[in-house]
Amino acid sequence: MQSSRLRLSATVTSTCALICTLALPAPAAAQLLDHKDFTASIAMTIVQTAIETCKANGYAVSATVVGRNGEIIVQVRGGNTAPHTIENSFRKASTARTFRSPSGALVERVKADPTLGVIHLTNVIANQGALPIKVGDEVIGAAGASGAPGGEKDEACVKAGIDKIADQLK
């Protein structure tokens, strides 16, 4: 009697295992992400052009380019810049990348809502001076500058850097 119970139990267990296995959905075909990234050479051109553009206008700036995940690709502290400019250029670039818009847009959002919680995120700053880097509508990074007397001047230098490599962002 006990032997037939064990066989019955083993059969039920095997049947349940088979049913559960068949009930699971088949795994979908693996899908790989397909995206564009820029090279270190492109990032260096953006930074160099931003720093040179600001220098030609009498401003000493530091500049940073971050990639699609917010990682630093190139960061240069310009000559005669204050120590904070290197960090500030990174935080501006990080903000533009995070929100996929010019860092100055966050300034307007904070003015409208001074208790805006996103301002407390790591590496986010409500300062003008950075722009997203796009291929079509896809944001693949951002560039920021700091040190000019006013964020609009930092942003203009960054724009010059991005404009210099615009033909390569296709």
Side-chain angles (χ1 to χ4, degrees):
M1 182 81 165
Q2 185 151 358
S3 168
S4 61
R5 277 191 208 158
L6 287 175
R7 275 193 303 251
L8 180 60
S9 176
T11 303
V12 169
T13 303
S14 296
T15 303
C16 285
L18 179 61
I19 290 171
C20 288
T21 301
L22 294 175
L24 294 174
Q31 294 181 0
L32 299 176
L33 296 175
D34 184 28
H35 61 257
K36 295 184 183 244
D37 289 309
F38 49 85
T39 63
S41 175
I42 288 173
M44 184 62 80
T45 299
I46 294 169
V47 164
Q48 186 174 12
T49 302
I51 289 173
E52 288 173 358
T53 300
C54 273
K55 185 176 180 180
N57 289 310
Y59 318 128
V61 301
S62 294
T64 302
V65 171
V66 298
R68 78 172 48 252
N69 296 313
E71 75 283 11
I72 295 170
I73 305 296
V74 174
Q75 186 174 54
V76 176
R77 180 173 175 205
N80 294 323
T81 59
H84 72 279
T85 60
I86 195 79
E87 177 185 353
N88 224 21
S89 69
F90 166 67
R91 290 181 66 194
K92 289 177 181 185
S94 179
T95 300
R97 170 57 196 102
T98 297
F99 298 110
R100 297 177 176 94
S101 62
S103 61
L106 185 57
V107 174
E108 298 308 313
R109 288 178 62 193
V110 171
K111 282 180 186 176
D113 180 5
T115 63
L116 191 65
V118 297
I119 197 65
H120 301 292
L121 294 173
T122 302
N123 299 323
V124 168
I125 192 166
N127 278 341
Q128 187 175 3
L131 296 170
I133 300 169
K134 297 179 178 184
V135 173
D137 290 332
E138 181 184 7
V139 176
I140 63 169
S146 178
E152 71 284 352
K153 293 174 181 71
D154 290 327
E155 186 176 303
C157 295
V158 167
K159 184 174 181 336
I162 295 172
D163 286 349
K164 177 110 179 191
I165 54 87
D167 62 320
Q168 297 175 60
L169 297 176
K170 297 181 175 112

